Amino acid sequence: MTKHKLRIGLLVESNNLSSWSFNCIESLIHSKYAEIVLVIKTKYPSEKKATFISKINQISYAVFKAIENKIHKPYPDALAQKNLKSILGNCKESSVNTVEIEDLKQLDLIIQLDKNSIPEQLLKHVKFGVWSYYFGDCSKKRKGPFGIWELFENQIDTKVSILLKGHPVEQDSILYETSFSNDKLYSNRHAHTIYWKAANMLPRMLEELYKSKPDEFFKKWLDKYDQSKIQKHQDYKIPSNFQTIKAVSKLYFKAFKGVIERRSYFEQWILLFQMHSNKKRPKSFENFKRILPPKDRIWADPFVIERNDTYYIFIEELLFNEPFGKIAVIEMDKDGNYKSPKTIIEQPYHLSYPFLIEDDGKLYMLPETMGNNTIELYKCIAFPYKWELEKVIMNNIKAVDSTIFKHDNKYWLFTNIEELNGTKMQSELHLFYSDSLLNDHWIAHKQNPIVTDKSSSRPAGELYMSENCIFRPAQNCTKHYGYAMNINKITTLNTNSYKECLEQSIYPNWSKDMFSTHTINASETLTVIDAKIKRKR
């Protein structure tokens, strides 16, 4: 028997939708898992007119927005109006006051695209409740123009949530939540970028619901979030003259200061290492020695293997005047003396993160090849300089920092994927498994994405065993890409479930010129990391 598509109702104020939400609905209409069967019209309550004093108190904000719109006019405009009728055809319409109960009972869920409170009868009769977007932090009482307070208060990121009201929950709940790094200068650009990226968040969740058992789907997502933090009553607050002038002054002074600094300094990824006699990895990094590249390039993503009393450190090398990174190897002796890197793999697309894995007596490398929309596996033909492409593990995929770990006779592939929802690469970690490294069929884990937190999602090096526990290094990208690292202990790893917990945080705070560190790897007696520093030109 063919499974019927999810039957969806739309709760809208009119047929005119913003472009980003229009795209969201259009993708559902063209999907194999959902259909729009009912449109329910609502009306906004009459808004209170702003008083003369409040208008005067918001002049600076109005001027700031007008100037910003001139400097950075969003294109494509996420808020440009599009008519829903052009894609809905003869879909049944009703008003919120006249909609029939029998029509509601036929629905699987309702998508809310207006700002009104939801009538009680919609929550009573719809199978999977009412789903809506929330832009901003739903745990904070103050709400205002989207993107403004995040910029003015110098917040690290902006949250976007999908909220669920009605069955199967008793109170408003977070069904999905993610965050996006804030634009450092333009609130307009920031808001429109997030609108476009959010457009496919909800379709992806609906596709997963369609393919899953509903009980398992809701348990998986509702258990991820603290449901008590939602603030039902929030104050909508536009910045005052004083708040706007103060924030904009700081904002543009900081931007001007950055321009001046960049004339004297530049940013560069470097390598750091430490020898150790035992097999335990060091947990502090103050005594690590630096390997500085020439000023025209970066060295990053170090992976190390030890052969015949020599360390071989495989890295990404990227010259500032070249478009793509390449894979190189540095030889180092037991005294820490090292040779200049030699290029071993170069392609007409970017290469980085040269992950190494030994299997059946052979050495393989899984470099990042997102620039080619692939995950590629290379085989070492003559160690350490000759490598050949063995096979393409996955095609038509935007994946970064793929990392494989063998456990319980299976190969587990951890990778960050940019899917249709446009989430940042550091936002979502996906897991696949296979019975063979060279298999063409990698099975997606049931809980994908297994991690949706940019503080611990993106891989930061090989997984390793210590005291019979599995540890997974991850990038902490809360402040910016590659800011710091977290070491997570995996407590559950099987085909049905994945769980991990934070074991250690590594921040780039042991040197004044350092502000990022995002890869850590080790052999039995050598640990290597990378770091981004400021250097004088």
Side-chain angles (χ1 to χ4, degrees):
M1 183 177 177
T2 304
K3 188 176 183 180
H4 75 79
K5 293 182 178 182
L6 294 171
R7 294 171 62 83
I8 295 174
L10 299 181
L11 191 61
V12 296
E13 193 259 340
S14 74
N15 285 326
N16 291 322
L17 297 181
S18 58
S19 292
W20 75 268
S21 53
F22 181 92
N23 282 13
C24 173
I25 301 307
E26 187 176 34
S27 67
L28 294 179
I29 291 172
H30 294 149
S31 74
K32 296 179 180 179
Y33 54 85
E35 58 181 337
I36 310 299
V37 298
L38 180 64
V39 176
I40 306 171
K41 298 286 185 65
T42 64
K43 287 188 177 180
Y44 284 113
S46 57
E47 295 182 359
K48 293 181 179 180
K49 292 185 178 180
T51 63
F52 176 76
I53 292 180
S54 66
K55 287 182 179 179
I56 292 296
N57 196 36
Q58 295 164 7
I59 285 178
S60 296
Y61 172 73
V63 171
F64 165 72
K65 290 301 294 181
I67 293 173
E68 191 179 57
N69 285 333
K70 285 285 186 183
I71 295 174
H72 191 276
K73 189 174 180 63
Y75 181 82
D77 188 347
L79 301 181
Q81 297 291 292
K82 287 189 175 183
N83 195 292
L84 195 56
K85 280 279 191 180
S86 63
I87 55 174
L88 277 184
N90 296 320
C91 180
K92 187 173 182 178
E93 290 190 9
S94 181
S95 76
V96 72
N97 296 321
T98 62
V99 63
E100 297 179 4
I101 292 177
E102 289 304 314
D103 286 336
L104 294 176
K105 288 182 177 180
Q106 297 300 314
L107 297 177
D108 288 302
L109 60 103
I110 290 175
I111 297 174
Q112 182 183 20
L113 294 172
D114 70 355
K115 300 177 182 177
N116 289 325
S117 58
I118 301 171
E120 192 67 25
Q121 75 263 30
L122 300 187
L123 301 177
K124 282 183 179 180
H125 302 295
V126 180
K127 188 175 182 181
F128 299 131
V130 179
W131 298 25
S132 61
Y133 281 97
Y134 187 90
F135 293 89
D137 190 342
C138 56
S139 68
K140 291 185 177 180
K141 285 188 176 181
R142 184 177 64 190
K143 185 189 176 190
F146 178 51
I148 288 296
W149 289 109
E150 291 85 356
L151 181 70
F152 280 10
E153 294 179 350
N154 196 30
Q155 294 180 20
I156 293 172
D157 55 21
T158 296
K159 292 183 178 179
V160 181
S161 306
I162 294 175
L163 301 184
L164 171 63
K165 302 176 184 179
H167 187 80
V169 295
E170 296 181 357
Q171 61 181 6
D172 296 357
S173 299
I174 300 170
L175 189 58
Y176 179 82
E177 185 176 80
T178 189
S179 59
F180 300 91
S181 297
N182 286 345
D183 193 293
K184 295 180 179 179
L185 197 58
Y186 296 114
S187 66
N188 211 14
R189 178 171 63 189
H190 174 59
H192 283 258
T193 299
I194 292 181
Y195 281 133
W196 285 121
K197 288 180 176 179
N200 283 304
M201 284 169 52
L202 193 146
R204 190 190 67 175
M205 294 292 288
L206 291 177
E207 183 176 12
E208 183 177 342
L209 172 60
Y210 173 77
K211 293 178 178 179
S212 308
K213 293 179 180 179
D215 290 346
E216 293 179 357
F217 172 85
F218 286 110
K219 178 173 175 53
K220 168 189 171 181
W221 289 107
L222 293 172
D223 287 353
K224 278 183 176 284
Y225 308 108
D226 179 4
Q227 304 297 357
S228 64
K229 71 179 184 179
I230 298 178
Q231 294 289 341
K232 293 184 179 179
H233 304 289
Q234 298 199 1
D235 298 326
Y236 188 90
K237 187 176 180 182
I238 294 176
S240 67
N241 289 334
F242 174 75
Q243 289 169 324
T244 301
I245 292 171
K246 180 181 177 181
V248 172
S249 298
K250 286 185 176 180
L251 188 68
Y252 287 101
F253 175 76
K254 186 176 179 181
F256 176 75
K257 183 180 177 183
V259 171
I260 299 301
E261 282 187 356
R262 286 191 291 273
R263 292 177 178 269
S264 304
Y265 296 89
F266 72 101
E267 299 174 359
Q268 184 182 42
W269 284 99
I270 67 169
L271 308 177
L272 301 95
F273 72 95
Q274 186 181 72
M275 308 285 187
H276 39 88
S277 57
N278 57 38
K279 295 182 180 180
K280 289 188 176 181
R281 298 185 178 208
K283 292 191 174 182
S284 61
F285 304 89
E286 292 85 355
N287 297 322
F288 272 51
K289 297 179 181 179
R290 294 187 175 192
I291 302 177
L292 287 176
K295 291 185 176 182
D296 64 344
R297 66 195 66 193
I298 67 166
W299 292 342
D301 295 345
F303 285 79
V304 60
I305 191 168
E306 187 176 343
R307 293 277 178 89
N308 300 323
D309 293 328
T310 302
Y311 302 108
Y312 297 89
I313 305 171
F314 294 82
I315 62 169
E316 170 201 351
E317 181 175 50
L318 174 64
L319 275 65
F320 294 140
N321 63 352
E322 294 182 357
F324 305 125
K326 52 198 174 187
I327 304 302
V329 62
I330 296 173
E331 290 187 36
M332 177 183 288
D333 63 24
K334 293 289 185 178
D335 296 321
N337 302 308
Y338 58 89
K339 299 178 181 178
S340 297
K342 292 184 178 180
T343 300
I344 55 172
I345 306 177
E346 190 170 7
Q347 297 285 13
Y349 44 87
H350 183 71
L351 298 173
S352 61
Y353 197 81
F355 172 80
L356 300 170
I357 181 169
E358 292 190 80
D359 187 60
D360 195 23
K362 301 178 180 65
L363 181 63
Y364 296 92
M365 182 188 295
L366 198 73
E368 179 194 309
T369 53
M370 188 193 75
N372 199 37
N373 293 328
T374 54
I375 299 179
E376 299 174 1
L377 185 70
Y378 288 77
K379 181 179 178 181
C380 186
I381 305 302
F383 185 83
Y385 300 116
K386 189 174 181 181
W387 298 75
E388 290 182 357
L389 179 63
E390 177 71 10
K391 71 178 295 138
V392 176
I393 287 180
M394 293 186 190
N395 266 305
N396 302 315
I397 186 171
K398 289 187 176 295
V400 295
D401 299 348
S402 298
T403 304
I404 295 177
F405 181 68
K406 189 175 181 181
H407 176 66
D408 285 348
N409 296 318
K410 290 190 182 298
Y411 295 81
W412 303 88
L413 170 61
F414 297 77
T415 189
N416 275 58
I417 297 175
E418 180 180 342
E419 295 191 305
L420 292 175
N421 67 323
T423 53
K424 291 290 185 71
M425 285 298 188
Q426 53 265 30
S427 298
E428 295 185 342
L429 179 66
H430 289 248
L431 179 60
F432 301 84
Y433 58 90
S434 170
D435 292 329
S436 167
L437 179 63
L438 302 179
N439 202 336
D440 290 321
H441 182 55
W442 289 79
I443 302 170
H445 197 274
K446 289 181 179 180
Q447 289 187 327
N448 277 343
I450 57 170
V451 180
T452 57
D453 182 353
K454 66 180 183 178
S455 71
S456 59
S457 172
R458 189 164 176 163
E462 63 182 4
L463 282 73
Y464 61 94
M465 297 288 298
S466 179
E467 298 178 348
N468 294 320
C469 295
I470 307 172
F471 292 91
R472 186 183 71 85
Q475 294 187 37
N476 178 348
C477 297
T478 52
K479 194 171 182 179
H480 52 75
Y481 162 70
Y483 163 58
M485 294 184 286
N486 284 329
I487 307 299
N488 302 296
K489 182 167 72 174
I490 296 177
T491 55
T492 305
L493 175 60
N494 57 54
T495 57
N496 294 312
S497 182
Y498 179 85
K499 292 180 182 179
E500 66 180 27
C501 60
L502 179 63
E503 184 75 10
Q504 180 193 3
S505 293
I506 301 170
Y507 296 101
N509 55 8
W510 63 89
S511 181
K512 290 182 179 180
D513 63 345
M514 185 181 300
F515 55 94
S516 295
T517 178
H518 78 346
T519 309
I520 180 169
N521 285 293
S523 66
E524 289 190 355
T525 56
L526 174 69
T527 296
V528 187
I529 64 173
D530 58 9
K532 185 183 273 191
I533 64 170
K534 281 185 179 180
R535 289 185 69 181
K536 286 188 176 181
R537 293 191 180 277

